[in-house]
Amino acid sequence: GDIASQHDEL
Amino acid sequence: MNIFRLAGDMTHLASVLVLLLKIHTIKSCAGVSLKTQELYAIVFATRYLDILTSFVSIYNTLMKLIFLGSSFSIVWYMKYHKTVRRTYDRDQDTFRHWFLMLPCLLLALLIHEKFTFFEVLWTFSLYLEAVAILPQLVLLQRTRNIDNLTGQYIFLLGGYRGFYILNWIYRYFTEPHYVHWITWIAGLVQTLLYADFFYYYFLSWKNNKKLQLPA
């Protein structure tokens, strides 16, 4: 998985 | 940003505002679990450690600041405010939060997407958020009589989780490579914990009666 896109959520 | 994510964030924000309203204007935190609020403060503190290093959008940073600020101020009110702290159900709110934090930390050390300091703490915050509501649900069960604001607070929190699941489903089908098993399973567990509460909430709403949980 792409970690960065996970962290665009709160 | 899709409509489900926005709806989730807004119900989350509304839940916090309802709780602050109760504490700030009625000067009461009766029925509110300090253990759960402390766990949320830890959840946000460990999840938003990257607030200064990773920038996603002004919206994200602003929401992070709001959730950090509100969770810590709620804890402060319940512990130190001279009138609010007297309304806290200290003797009923006996859930030991260490029993939740330690397993979550161990699990985050074992199961994560990447073994780095920030990533493990981010994962820890996901696991901890999933179970952080438990002391609150136990307190509700013990006091049984739930005032409207406390009921609405928990209802909105559950709604926030529900919308996030819809957001994940939407993103899974619209964005390539959007797969986050850890987030999804933790989120699903968290939402399931509300199922029982939701059942009684709807029952009381349908019958137009005050929310009361069975003994």
Side-chain angles (χ1 to χ4, degrees):
Chain A
D2 169 12
I3 301 276
S5 79
Q6 177 185 342
H7 291 204
D8 64 7
E9 287 174 0
L10 299 160
Chain B
M1 175 80 84
N2 58 68
I3 189 75
F4 304 114
R5 156 87 195 273
L6 185 65
D9 286 346
M10 289 305 115
T11 34
H12 193 186
L13 189 63
S15 75
V16 172
L17 290 179
V18 163
L19 191 53
L20 275 172
L21 181 82
K22 177 181 154 91
I23 288 174
H24 201 84
T25 60
I26 307 171
K27 294 278 186 286
S28 162
C29 64
V32 179
S33 166
L34 177 60
K35 303 294 171 78
T36 284
Q37 296 307 318
E38 285 177 336
L39 290 176
Y40 280 139
I42 294 165
V43 163
F44 294 131
T46 49
R47 185 172 307 168
Y48 301 153
L49 272 179
D50 66 356
I51 190 162
L52 296 174
T53 53
S54 96
F55 179 79
V56 175
S57 63
I58 292 175
Y59 171 85
N60 259 39
T61 304
L62 200 64
M63 293 295 270
K64 285 177 179 179
L65 285 172
I66 291 172
F67 289 134
L68 277 169
S70 58
S71 63
F72 277 93
S73 64
I74 288 165
V75 169
W76 182 86
Y77 263 107
M78 292 184 73
K79 283 176 94 128
Y80 303 115
H81 188 279
K82 67 179 184 347
T83 26
V84 174
R85 68 175 186 170
R86 269 188 253 137
T87 60
Y88 169 48
D89 303 311
R90 194 170 274 98
D91 303 330
Q92 309 262 35
D93 189 26
T94 54
F95 201 102
R96 281 192 265 280
H97 38 0
W98 285 106
F99 287 164
L100 295 178
M101 285 173 60
L102 275 175
C104 287
L105 189 61
L106 285 176
L107 199 62
L109 286 168
L110 288 171
I111 305 172
H112 43 252
E113 284 195 17
K114 220 166 65 175
F115 192 64
T116 62
F117 181 72
F118 283 98
E119 196 56 31
V120 168
L121 279 183
W122 173 279
T123 313
F124 165 74
S125 82
L126 290 177
Y127 296 148
L128 192 62
E129 189 188 355
V131 291
I133 195 68
L134 284 175
Q136 178 64 67
L137 293 177
V138 168
L139 180 61
L140 276 191
Q141 197 78 29
R142 284 186 180 161
T143 49
R144 288 184 60 211
N145 269 316
I146 302 144
D147 65 81
N148 287 337
L149 285 177
T150 309
Q152 276 150 16
Y153 165 66
I154 298 163
F155 176 76
L156 287 166
L157 266 182
Y160 143 62
R161 297 317 310 177
F163 280 124
Y164 253 76
I165 288 180
L166 295 176
N167 158 56
W168 295 328
I169 295 170
Y170 180 84
R171 290 189 71 174
Y172 177 77
F173 286 109
T174 54
E175 291 175 33
H177 314 300
Y178 183 77
V179 181
H180 296 295
W181 284 108
I182 294 175
T183 315
W184 296 344
I185 292 169
L188 195 63
V189 168
Q190 187 178 1
T191 314
L192 288 176
L193 292 180
Y194 288 91
D196 191 57
F197 171 84
F198 266 125
Y199 174 74
Y200 291 106
Y201 192 91
F202 278 117
L203 221 57
S204 73
W205 176 75
K206 209 178 81 185
N207 302 327
N208 214 356
K209 278 203 303 213
K210 195 170 154 53
L211 175 62
Q212 239 183 340
L213 298 181

